[in-house]
Amino acid sequence: MPRVVSARRPQAKPKLGQHFLTSDDSAIRIVDALGDLSHHTVLEIGPGRGILTSLLAPRARRLIAVEIDRVLAAQLRLRFGMSRNVEIIEADILAIDFDSLFGPKPGLGQPGIEIRPNPAKVVGNLPYYLTSDILLRLLDYAKYFESIVIMVQREVADRIAAESGTRDYGMLSATAQLYARVEKLFTLPPGAFSPPPKVHSTVLRLTIAPQLEGLGVSGDGFLDFLRLSFAQKRKTLWNNLKTKYASPQLKQALAEAHVKPTARAETLSLEESAAVYRALHSPDQGS
Ligand code: SAM
């Protein structure tokens, strides 16, 4: 008797955040939001059953799709095996070496000369359990990317796009807005996915535009400072910062930046936070 191989799709794995988009119109809107791809490398995060991949493959100069699920990655390889511009990598996106994928390459046969690839575009209907980790990692490597179009849980999109002074503003908003211009594009109901998640989902576009130089701050130092400022959301900026800075130094820096000691971090714009940071780290402060 010949063995019958089931053609049924494997069950979605909720642990991996597998809610597959079933709306073709929405998939087209997501891919359209990336703009012209004919000269770009595109990084797709979590291609799943390939609804976005099948639209990206004919448009992108090169497509790198990273899927952690072994079965899905194998199915995608079979499906896109003939597309020479498509590379399916079975891996955890958080473990991918962005430097070797997107960093400068040695010039062919010319010592000392490097080829710097054009910045890539990133797209993905993200596994929601990893949204912050993935976004923060992408921003950490912002120099390799031009824009990022991602689907995230609606409430998380609200936080990423929140303006300072609003309830949703926090570390994630400040970090995203330090590196990119954030736009909310559209929101989808649970019914646009299979199986449906419990939440609505929003598509965001982040256009990379780092503000560090304009704000006169260094990346790592300022991010550590923001982390400390937001360490305990209910506490005032003063109480969060006093765990690291001496009171007289803090008093002087807040006065210089025209920020009240009773202010909370979420009420400060990035410019105001940067002013406090610069005042605390000016050569006269000795730190
Ligand atoms: N892009 C597909 C779509 O729109 O239908 C699938 C989206 S689904 C919300 C998230 C996908 O990310 C799943 O295919 C899941 O297996 C994959 N995934 C989960 N964790 C991952 C990780 N750490 N690295 C790469 N892919 C991951």
Side-chain angles (χ1 to χ4, degrees):
M1 279 277 281
R3 219 159 55 87
V4 179
V5 180
S6 166
R8 262 191 309 152
R9 284 184 161 162
Q11 288 268 317
K13 302 184 182 83
K15 263 195 190 162
L16 292 178
Q18 291 182 353
H19 298 281
F20 301 105
L21 185 63
T22 53
S23 156
D24 290 328
D25 285 351
S26 308
I28 292 171
R29 286 176 79 186
I30 292 171
V31 173
D32 282 351
L34 289 163
D36 178 26
L37 301 175
S38 55
H39 299 290
H40 282 86
T41 295
V42 176
L43 169 67
E44 187 189 358
I45 300 172
R49 291 179 180 160
I51 189 168
L52 300 179
T53 324
S54 61
L55 296 170
L56 293 164
R59 295 192 194 187
R61 190 179 67 81
R62 181 179 177 212
L63 173 62
I64 301 169
V66 179
E67 171 58 60
I68 200 168
D69 185 315
R70 172 158 296 181
V71 177
L72 292 177
Q75 288 177 343
L76 289 162
R77 272 205 200 102
L78 277 179
R79 186 163 157 201
F80 294 98
M82 300 300 279
S83 310
R84 294 187 59 192
N85 62 328
V86 179
E87 195 180 333
I88 307 291
I89 301 181
E90 182 198 320
D92 177 351
I93 188 66
L94 297 177
I96 287 285
D97 180 353
F98 287 147
D99 288 318
S100 59
L101 265 189
F102 302 112
K105 310 272 180 293
L108 289 175
Q110 297 173 35
I113 299 203
E114 283 185 336
I115 297 169
R116 288 184 180 272
N118 286 333
K121 296 190 179 188
V122 183
V123 66
N125 169 11
L126 296 189
Y128 292 168
Y129 74 109
L130 282 181
T131 300
S132 302
D133 291 346
I134 293 175
L135 182 57
L136 293 175
R137 183 144 198 267
L138 290 172
L139 295 172
D140 216 16
Y141 288 89
K143 62 183 176 208
Y144 295 146
F145 305 123
E146 181 178 316
S147 57
I148 301 172
V149 173
I150 42 173
M151 172 110 66
V152 303
Q153 181 179 336
R154 179 171 61 184
E155 291 73 15
V156 178
D158 290 343
R159 281 170 46 209
I160 294 169
E163 286 180 20
S164 60
T166 63
R167 197 197 47 171
D168 281 335
Y169 190 78
M171 185 63 197
L172 197 57
S173 344
T175 312
Q177 294 166 34
L178 183 61
Y179 286 99
R181 193 159 46 77
V182 180
E183 296 164 88
K184 277 198 243 178
L185 300 185
F186 60 94
T187 295
L188 290 175
F193 303 86
S194 170
K198 291 199 175 78
V199 293
H200 279 63
S201 304
T202 296
V203 177
L204 289 176
R205 177 167 50 207
L206 285 85
T207 307
I208 299 298
Q211 294 197 49
L212 297 163
E213 215 174 301
L215 293 172
V217 294
S218 72
D220 288 348
F222 188 52
L223 280 177
D224 286 345
F225 172 79
L226 286 175
R227 237 171 258 124
L228 187 64
S229 305
F230 286 107
Q232 302 228 24
K233 242 196 143 182
R234 290 217 191 105
K235 285 192 176 178
T236 60
L237 185 63
W238 176 280
N239 280 336
N240 277 325
L241 293 181
K242 79 173 184 195
T243 57
K244 172 167 178 189
Y245 301 96
S247 294
Q249 186 191 9
L250 207 46
K251 196 170 170 189
Q252 189 187 331
L254 291 175
E256 261 177 51
H258 307 289
V259 171
K260 287 192 187 133
T262 52
R264 286 173 206 281
E266 67 265 26
T267 65
L268 268 63
S269 64
L270 275 176
E271 288 76 11
E272 288 170 319
S273 288
V276 178
Y277 175 80
R278 285 194 312 267
L280 281 168
H281 293 262
S282 70
D284 328 340
Q285 295 281 4
S287 60

